[in-house]
Each structure stands twice: as structure tokens, then as C-alpha cells.
Amino acid sequence: MIDEAATTFEAVHGGRPTGMWAAPGRVNLIGEHTDYNDGFVLPIALPHTTRVTARRREDGRLRLYSAQGDGTVTDLSLDGLTPGVVASWAGYPAGVFWALAEAGHPVGGADLFIDSDVPAGAGLSSSAALECATAAALNDLYELGLTAPELALLAQRAENAFVGVPCGAMDQMASACCTDGAALFLDTRTLEQRHVPLDLAAAGLRLLVIDTRVKHDLGDGAYAALRAGCERAAELLGLPALRDLAVADLASALDRLPGELRPLVRHVVTENRRVLETVERLDRGGTAALGPILTAGHASLRDDFRVSCAETDLAVEAAVAAGALGARMTGGGFGGSVIALVAAGDVTAVSDAVRSAFGSAGFAAPVAFTAVPSAGARRVA
Ligand code: GLA
């Protein structure tokens, strides 16, 4: 892989790269729209990665070339980098440079060749993968000595302040910190993390990821509106964040809120509980017992948080009807992907059932693959 990338790098930038860094996309097992409420999440990294082949430059320029781009080099001056000026995919790596410089880290220029097999717009965090691979590359090229969580937070800062998407920390933390064979149990308030072993094969299970092909776009304002609604609810309840509302106090809290905020709060509070229950079950080795929690999480996203769509609802319904132990949309919503926990022998039957249901509904064919918990950002060459 590195030889091929080095050849492209040389053709585009001239000369040899210093190395290659990779960072994965993610699926979230449970804990959706909890990260910006100081809550809990439980993502795994995908085997799919974005690779950044890179070398330092000393002239303050950032030259970006992507195998998935339009065949041209984006050439930026680091001096001119300000939020909002770089449109398209180049905003993610440029934003990471900007965030590092803003935090006072001595980063000069760089030549980057980017290649990725993380599906874009599928709710699988292709943007976090690009940010975290870039951050890992710059951390080594400039010997910054930053830790994985520090790089993740800088990547999140790039996305929030440079690209302009008010996301929480889950995607970047997953891409930077996940480990092979484990889910990342993260408290997004304290950033305390625990790697919870998840050996699907030993339990006779597979995790099916179904990309509905409905492009999800978090930049369109709906995500920001949901986040603002949650923050308003916490403020009205006199709490630092919805994380601080206990399940036992939910009913009385809902009575004190305007009608439109109630379902948001109900989702966040019950979803945090679902994360904790999932971790408890995994700790006891009950992987199969996760199924109903996943499906309950989907119902909450569909009926309370209202971020599912016809395609994600149909994928969940068809997967469960065909024998999946549980299924839910994963990621921000408004399209994107669904995960289904399936007995190893049922993978084909479940994916066929979803494909056929999509055909009957007149939806474009979904793309399904199985995923195992994989490693976070790392240097690969
Ligand atoms: C997107 C955001 C995350 C998180 C999820 C919903 O993926 O980037 O920070 O809020 O949506 O759980």
C-alpha cells in the first residue's frame, strides 16, 4: 500500500514522503446524540481507514491531493487559513492545521496525499478519519508529542470552529483512541475511557453495517438545532447538561419543559441508560443480549429524537423481521447507516431481506458489510 501511495505522492508532490498514517471511520454501537450532552457513547472503529502519506514543508504551504478528489492539488497558505475560507473536503485537513496552530503548536507546511476507503456521507465518520489521520501525521512530522485524546480534541475543534459543524467529541475520539477487538466506552464529560472487549466471532455473531445510501449531511442546520434544543432544556432545568438528569427524575423534569423539548430530553436520558446497560451486559459476556437495547435505541431516535428517515426505519424493521437480534441507525441520522447484530449464519438472509425490502419500496439498493472492532489512528509506514 505504501509503495503505491509513495508513487502517487512522488508524481503529485515530487520527492519521497516521510511516512504514512491511517485513521479509521467508526460505527457507534449505542449512545447517539449523547456526546454534546456530556453523556456516554460506545463506538467501535471500522477496518476502513483514511491514509495520509505526508512530508513536511518549510515554506508555510499546505498542498493537498486526494485520490477521491478531482485530480487537482489544493495549495493553501497557512497564513491565510481562517474559518470558512476552505470549502469541500480540504477544509478538514486544513482545519487540523489551523487548530494546531491556534493552540500554539509549531506546525509549518506539509505535502499530503490522501486516500480513503471509508464511505463518505454514510454516517461512518469519514470526516473524523480524515481529520485524525492528518493530526496523527502532523503530530509525528513536527514531533509534537500529543496524545491520542489531545489529537482527537484538536480534530473536533477543527470541525467545530473551522468547518463549522457543532459536533460532539465521539467521532474523533473513536477514530483516534479505539483499539482492535474492543468498543470504546467513553464518558464525554470527563473523557475517561475504557476499552470493553467485544469478540463478536466468539459469540457466534456478526455486526452488519448497512449503508442506506441516503446521504447524511450534518452541516445543514438540523443537527445544530437539536443540539441547541438539548442545551436549552438543560438550562431550563437548571442543570449543567442533560447528562445530569437521572432516569428517576425524568418524569417530573418533563412536566417542567415546553412540549417540543420533552422528547429530546427523554431520548438523551434513556439513551445514556442504554449505554450503561450495554456495557454491563458486555462485561458479563452477554453480547447476544445487546440486541433488544439496540432496537429500543432506534425507536427512541425515530419517535423521540426524530433523526431517522424512511430508509433507516425500513432497514431496521426488515433486519429484525429477518432474524437480526437487534438493529438501529448509527451516527447523526438523517440518512446514513444502520447496524444490525446478527447470528453468524444469518448474515446473508438479513442483508438479502433488507435489499429486497428496499427494492419493493423503490429505494436505491443499500450496501452491506460486516465490521469487527478495529484499531484507531496510527502510523503505518
Ligand atoms: C455525529 C456527530 C457526533 C455525534 C453523533 C450523534 O456523528 O459528529 O458528535 O453527536 O452525530 O451521536
Side-chain angles (χ1 to χ4, degrees):
M1 194 196 286
I2 176 68
D3 289 345
E4 221 174 281
T7 305
T8 307
F9 183 97
E10 199 159 354
V12 173
H13 296 300
R16 304 290 296 171
T18 306
M20 184 195 247
W21 291 261
R26 63 97 189 90
V27 288
N28 188 18
L29 291 180
I30 191 81
E32 222 65 87
H33 291 276
T34 48
D35 62 352
Y36 52 81
N37 290 299
D38 276 4
F40 304 106
V41 294
L42 190 68
I44 62 166
L46 291 173
H48 307 66
T49 60
T50 294
R51 275 94 47 201
V52 165
T53 306
R55 181 184 59 195
R56 282 170 71 137
R57 294 179 69 91
E58 307 304 330
D59 61 357
R61 302 204 74 78
L62 179 58
R63 288 172 49 85
L64 306 166
Y65 180 83
S66 167
Q68 285 72 45
D70 63 2
T72 63
V73 173
T74 302
D75 190 338
L76 301 165
S77 159
L78 292 177
D79 286 345
L81 285 187
T82 45
V85 298
V86 187
S88 81
W89 62 268
Y92 298 105
V96 170
F97 259 90
W98 173 85
L100 282 163
E102 184 206 36
H105 298 294
V107 280
D111 292 322
L112 264 54
F113 165 52
I114 296 154
D115 196 0
S116 181
D117 60 6
V118 183
L124 301 175
S125 291
S126 59
S127 52
L130 175 50
E131 290 156 359
C132 290
T134 305
L138 295 176
N139 190 36
D140 287 353
L141 288 175
Y142 283 93
E143 298 175 3
L144 303 177
L146 296 167
T147 62
E150 286 169 338
L151 292 173
L153 294 183
L154 285 161
Q156 185 202 4
R157 170 87 186 136
E159 182 132 359
N160 290 169
F162 193 85
V163 180
V165 178
C167 63
M170 169 171 71
D171 303 344
Q172 291 78 11
M173 285 295 289
S175 185
C177 304
C178 275
T179 49
D180 258 324
L184 177 71
F185 175 35
L186 177 71
D187 178 336
T188 64
R189 169 170 279 168
T190 61
L191 293 189
E192 192 186 324
Q193 42 172 297
R194 178 152 76 83
H195 299 280
V196 183
L198 178 61
D199 189 345
L200 293 161
L205 298 172
R206 298 288 182 271
L207 188 70
L208 190 62
V209 180
I210 304 158
D211 172 6
T212 65
R213 311 275 298 282
V214 179
K215 287 289 173 206
H216 107 134
D217 181 4
L218 289 186
D220 68 359
Y223 181 91
L226 289 164
R227 180 172 182 157
C230 290
E231 286 167 356
R232 175 93 188 107
E235 194 184 308
L236 289 172
L237 294 170
L239 298 170
L242 291 184
R243 147 73 174 278
D244 300 297
L245 183 57
V247 175
D249 300 329
L250 180 58
S252 65
L254 294 183
D255 286 343
R256 287 156 44 215
L257 290 171
E260 73 277 10
L261 296 180
R262 289 179 194 165
L264 298 185
V265 173
R266 191 160 50 221
H267 167 75
V268 172
V269 171
T270 58
E271 185 78 350
N272 275 324
R273 155 74 87 74
R274 281 185 285 273
V275 178
L276 300 178
E277 266 179 42
T278 301
V279 171
E280 269 170 39
R281 289 188 193 190
L282 283 175
D283 284 342
R284 289 201 306 262
T287 313
L290 306 189
I293 308 185
L294 302 185
T295 309
H298 185 76
S300 181
L301 288 164
R302 183 192 59 211
D303 303 336
D304 275 345
F305 220 69
R306 304 207 183 145
V307 289
S308 71
C309 63
E311 289 83 351
T312 49
D313 290 346
L314 182 60
V316 167
E317 206 180 286
V320 172
L325 302 174
R328 60 180 287 273
M329 54 147 275
T330 187
F334 315 108
S337 296
V338 161
I339 53 169
L341 189 66
V342 178
D346 290 344
V347 168
T348 311
V350 170
S351 14
D352 286 354
V354 174
R355 196 170 313 111
S356 140
F358 270 48
S360 307
F363 297 155
V367 178
F369 58 89
T370 56
V372 288
S374 302
R378 67 242 178 227
R379 185 171 187 159
V380 289

